[in-house]
Each structure stands twice: as C-alpha cells, then as structure tokens.
Amino acid sequence: MMKLWNTAYDAGTLYNFNAGYIANYEPALADSYNDSTVGIYLLNSWPAEFKAEALAVTQYWAQEIFSPTGNYYEIIHGDILVNYEYYNYSAAASGVTYKYDFPTVILHELGHLVGLKHVSKSLAPSIMLSTLGTDEVKRQVYTIDKELINTIYEDTALTAEDPVLGKFSKSEDAPQKRGNVYRGVIELMPSGKCLHYLNGKLVEEH
Ligand SMILES: [Zn+2]
C-alpha cells in the first residue's frame, strides 16, 4: 500500500521506511500513540474518544514553525488506528458481503498520513472519498489522487495544505522558532460525513 503512494508521487519517495509489526499494543489514550513508531494499529478496544462508527482514523501531531519565509506546520508523528472492535474486515480478492475491504481502508488512511484531504464524490473515482461501503474494493491510487499528491508536494520543499491545520512543510535550514504541538484526527466513516478534530475539538464536518 505504501508502494502505491510512492509510485503515484513523481518527485521522490513519500514512505521511505518498511512497515513493521507490533502485536497487542492498544493504549486507551490517543496521546499514548505519540511515540517513536509510525504504525498501523488494529484495535480490538476502540478508544472512547473516537466515534464508535468510525472505521479507522489517522491521527498526527504537528508543530507550528515560525519562519521568516512564512509560518507553517511540520508533521512530527502520525499513526493509523483501525476499528476492529465494531467492524469486520476482509482482504479477500473480491468484496465480501457485510465486510469492509482492509487494503482499501489502509490505502485511504495512508493518503491522509501524507497530507491528503477527502475528495468530493463528484471527482470520483478516488481512494480519498470520505465514505466506504461494505464489499467496496478500491485498492488503487486513481488519477485524481495522483494529481493531488503531486500538487501538494510540487516543490522540493515538500509544502502542503494540511486538512486540519493549514500549511505544512518539511523542515528547512532557515532560522526558525518552534511553537505548539497540535494533534489532528481524521475519521473515515462507513457513510455520511467525515469529521476532523484538532486537540480533541471538532473543527470540520463535511
Ligand atoms: Zn478519510
């Protein structure tokens, strides 16, 4: 799944590490995930702070950077949490009735982790639509997704619009001052709307 995003991006490598595996790590508090491991967690106990209906969330921590060339946020950590308590997933070759396609969910969340927002239904097909139905299988990065990922990282400074916070950039050499760290959360819902949270507060609903 990481490879699909890397292939979609022309100017470099978005995911330059291998996915590891950690079993039975399920802290109840969302903040406990802000550690040194960028991970995908399959949670049998879904943290109470997230909606029970959420299929999965991507949460990330970003630090405000004050720079002479303009302020921005730097992503310092991110994780994907999958709701295994309330949903059944399948990785079978074709869709399975009443189950959600696991590779589709992960590909979608990996898109958030590198900074993509949801894409409106009118631009479908896209892996970044805000909702997903059971037995819906979309294991590819579509043309619109490829365009978006290449647009937000079009310069070599890797600047992007963050879905929750605003402007992002990779670290730079210019003199800078570091500000507050914020935690953003984007939930993928089985249907209906998508919810964005900032430090636990709902900031966007669409
Ligand atoms: Zn999403």
Side-chain angles (χ1 to χ4, degrees), residues 51-67:
K51 281 222 160 26
E53 308 97 276
L55 286 166
V57 309
T58 291
Q59 62 172 355
Y60 54 88
W61 283 260
Q63 186 165 33
E64 200 168 8
I65 307 290
F66 303 100
S67 156

Side-chain angles (χ1 to χ4, degrees), residues 56-58 105 108-109 111-112 116-119 127-131 186-189 194-196 206:
V57 309
T58 291
V105 171
H108 174 100
E109 298 302 326
H112 284 315
L116 285 184
K117 293 184 185 201
H118 286 138
V119 165
I127 186 64
M128 298 311 297
L129 298 188
S130 64
T131 60
I186 309 175
E187 294 184 330
L188 172 66
M189 304 299 275
C194 155
L195 309 166
H196 295 184
H206 61 92

Side-chain angles (χ1 to χ4, degrees), residues 89-94 100-103 139:
Y89 295 90
S90 162
S94 58
Y100 289 89
D101 188 55
F102 185 72
R139 299 178 190 172

Side-chain angles (χ1 to χ4, degrees), residues 15 34 38 64 97 127 150 155-157 161 184:
Y15 286 105
N34 187 9
V38 173
E64 200 168 8
T97 315
I127 186 64
N150 283 289
D155 57 21
T156 49
E161 277 302 310

